[in-house]
Structures are given as structure tokens and as C-alpha cells.
Amino acid sequence: MNIAIHGAQTGVYGSRISGGSNDFIVRADDVDIKNLAFVGNKSNTAITLGVPEFAIFDTHINNCWFAGVGVGIRLVNAGGLDLSHNTFDSGTSYGIYSNQSEGDVMANYVIADDLRGFQQISTVSITGPSPGTANYQGYTFSGIFDNSVQSSASISLTRIIGAKISGIFTQNHYQDISISGSSAVVISNFHVYNPGQTSIFINQSNGVNTSNGVIFNSGTLEGGTPSISVVGSANTTVAGITSVNGGSAHASYGLSIDSASGASRIYGNNFNAQTVDTYNVQDPTALFEIKGALSATSVVAGNGYSGTATVGGCSIKIVSGIVVSTFGCN
């Protein structure tokens, strides 16, 4: 079935819809929704994709504006979606949302690029089952995300498999990106300005690669948290990250990895917006390469070595294989 619902392009955002508890509930494949403005109250959901007993596929929702609604687009039982070029404005609690514990069944293979999220709890919040299944996998998210509110990340992914995240994150009041209980996630090509707390939080996950990003300032609203924090995770890579002190550097560390994590890989970073030290890495199996001077073969945290390894102007103090402090290293 092919259905097109297009708003008249007579205004900035197209036709305006002010609905009740649910504006659109899509129960068909190949639906195309464009140029609509959804304005509501905190209790309503603008667009619901699928119902628990029936999955829908191949739906496009593009160039729509959501303001003041509880949820912009809820994925109940849907896959193969293009949700790009949408704006989730102030007063909207969640932009794109799915939560298996609340009865949602599937949210997979989602493209959502060129998003604009402003003053949400989360612009993207996806929570799959435990453990993750194929019903919650395959995502790409990018856009501009700023001024998120309350205690949730702008992009929050929990118990999913496979995602790619990029974009600009500005003055969010909590975390910018939170990955929990997930695997095979790539966070790259991002810029963070004035993060409110830990910018990137990786928890109980496997195979998360964070690379090629810049964090300007740190911990603006809640100092003493690391810029990037890794907890209980395996096979985490942090590479090519730069943090800049623009006059408001309050993070404790550039990167913190706890002792419950394993097989972390760290190289090519340039952290400058912290108050304590560059690294607080307690992972006993971490491998370091710092500015190319210290390679994985010369400093292996898990080898039980105690002492100070120095190459050039970079010194790393190691106690029983744990990196406890650095000096002159980025």
C-alpha cells in the first residue's frame, strides 16, 4: 500500500495539526508524511508507527515540525524508516521514541539524519529488550541537538545493536550521548559546545568506537564529571578526540574508564579541558598510544608494570599496570 499525506506548503512548516491523544496511527506500509506541523500538549503523541500486533515497514516522515507534544514520532512496531529532516522544538518531551518495556515491539533500520532537536528531554530515546535483539538494531542519527532539559541525554540508546551517531551538541543540560547495554556503536564527527555534564557516557556496552570529535569547554553546569566516561564496557575505542578550554573547563578528567571495563584502546587524543588529569584509566587491559610516542607495545596497562614511562615530553605514571596519572601527554 502506498499512502501520501503532504501538508500544503503555504506557511513555514506546512499545514498545522492540533490533535488529541494521538494524531496519526500508521498501520500500513509505504506511507509518506511530509510538510506537517504538529502542535499539541504534553500528553499526546503526534505520529505512532505500527501497533503491537502488526508491524509496518518502509515509511518516510520528513520535513515536519513538532512543538509541545509528548512524543513526536513513536516507534511501536516498525522498521525500514526514513525519519530525516524533522524539527523537534521546545515543549516536546521526546522527538523519536521507542521503549520495549512499555509495550513497544520493534524499532529497527532507522535513518534519521538532518534532525533539529531543541529543549527536549531527549531528541532520540530508544530502549530495546534485555538482551538486545534484531528487533532493535540498525540506526543512523545526525543533526543539531541543543539545550536539552532534565536528566537525560540528547541521544539515548539502551540495549540496541548497531548505530552511527554524529552532529553538533550545544549547551545540553545533561549528557550529550548515552550508550547503555548496547553493542557495535560508532560515535564520530561530532562537536560539543558547553556540555552540562559528562558529554559521552558509555555503560555496560561492547564495541563502542568514539572518534574524531571536539569538545569545547566541559562540565559547564555540573563540574567534576569526566568529559567521556566508560563504565563496565568491553572493547571501547577512544581516538582522535580534542577538548578545548574556552574559559569554562570543569571536567575532572578528559577520559575516565573504570576497572570493570576491558580491552580499551586509546590513542591520538588531545584533552585540554579538565581540572585533574588527562586520563583516569583503571581498565587493567587497556592499550595506549599517546601522540604516537607511547605505543601499545611499550605501555600495556595489564602487564603489572609499576613506574614512570617517558617518551619525549610525555610521562605516564603506572602502578601495578594501572595508569594513575599523566604529565605532558594529550
Side-chain angles (χ1 to χ4, degrees):
M1 182 178 293
N2 294 295
I3 300 173
I5 305 172
H6 293 179
Q9 298 187 49
T10 55
V12 176
Y13 300 105
S15 299
R16 173 171 172 153
I17 296 175
S18 297
S21 59
N22 290 285
D23 297 330
F24 290 167
I25 300 177
V26 178
R27 305 189 187 198
D29 296 340
D30 303 306
V31 174
D32 189 41
I33 300 173
K34 284 185 172 67
N35 303 317
L36 295 176
F38 296 86
V39 181
N41 56 62
K42 286 287 188 180
S43 64
N44 78 313
T45 297
I47 302 174
T48 301
L49 298 182
V51 292
E53 62 274 15
F54 185 80
I56 65 102
F57 299 91
D58 305 320
T59 286
H60 289 218
I61 302 172
N62 311 118
N63 301 310
C64 291
W65 179 62
F66 303 84
V69 298
V71 176
I73 304 170
R74 179 152 191 167
L75 314 182
V76 173
N77 196 355
L81 310 173
D82 184 348
L83 308 180
S84 302
H85 316 298
N86 291 305
T87 294
F88 303 98
D89 214 334
S90 58
T92 298
S93 297
Y94 297 95
I96 299 170
Y97 184 86
S98 185
N99 192 328
Q100 189 269 343
S101 67
E102 296 176 2
D104 298 336
V105 176
M106 179 176 69
N108 66 6
Y109 302 113
V110 177
I111 297 172
D113 291 323
D114 189 28
L115 299 177
R116 176 69 170 90
F118 178 69
Q119 286 189 345
Q120 275 93 59
I121 297 173
S122 294
T123 301
V124 176
S125 178
I126 307 290
T127 301
S130 181
T133 69
N135 278 0
Y136 279 82
Q137 70 170 341
Y139 308 92
T140 175
F141 299 113
S142 69
I144 298 176
F145 312 89
D146 66 291
N147 288 277
S148 67
V149 298
Q150 299 185 19
S151 298
S152 185
S154 287
I155 295 181
S156 177
L157 302 179
T158 302
R159 296 189 294 275
I160 61 91
I161 302 171
K164 182 179 72 172
I165 302 169
S166 61
I168 296 174
F169 300 81
T170 300
Q171 298 190 141
N172 292 307
H173 285 65
Y174 195 62
Q175 297 155 358
D176 295 295
I177 300 169
S178 174
I179 309 298
S180 183
S182 300
S183 60
V185 176
V186 175
I187 304 168
S188 65
N189 301 311
F190 61 89
H191 174 268
V192 174
Y193 177 75
N194 280 358
Q197 207 226 33
T198 291
S199 178
I200 298 173
F201 181 62
I202 301 166
N203 177 48
Q204 304 296 321
S205 295
N206 188 3
V208 178
N209 185 306
T210 301
S211 61
N212 301 324
V214 175
I215 301 172
F216 188 92
N217 286 332
S218 62
T220 305
L221 300 177
E222 185 177 337
T225 57
S227 290
I228 299 174
S229 182
V230 180
V231 176
S233 298
N235 303 306
T236 303
T237 298
V238 180
I241 306 301
T242 297
S243 67
V244 178
N245 182 354
S248 182
H250 302 293
S252 54
Y253 300 95
L255 170 64
S256 178
I257 303 179
D258 77 343
S259 60
S261 297
S264 303
R265 302 295 180 264
I266 305 154
Y267 61 92
N269 300 299
N270 188 358
F271 290 109
N272 300 283
Q274 63 279 340
T275 60
V276 180
D277 216 331
T278 307
Y279 296 107
N280 178 30
V281 176
Q282 302 297 319
D283 173 3
T285 59
L287 298 181
F288 290 83
E289 180 180 344
I290 300 177
K291 274 190 173 176
L294 297 174
S295 67
T297 55
S298 62
V299 178
V300 179
N303 64 7
Y305 171 81
S306 292
T308 301
T310 302
V311 177
C314 176
S315 297
I316 299 179
K317 183 179 180 182
I318 302 170
V319 177
S320 298
I322 301 298
V323 176
V324 296
S325 66
T326 63
F327 178 77
C329 305
N330 287 315

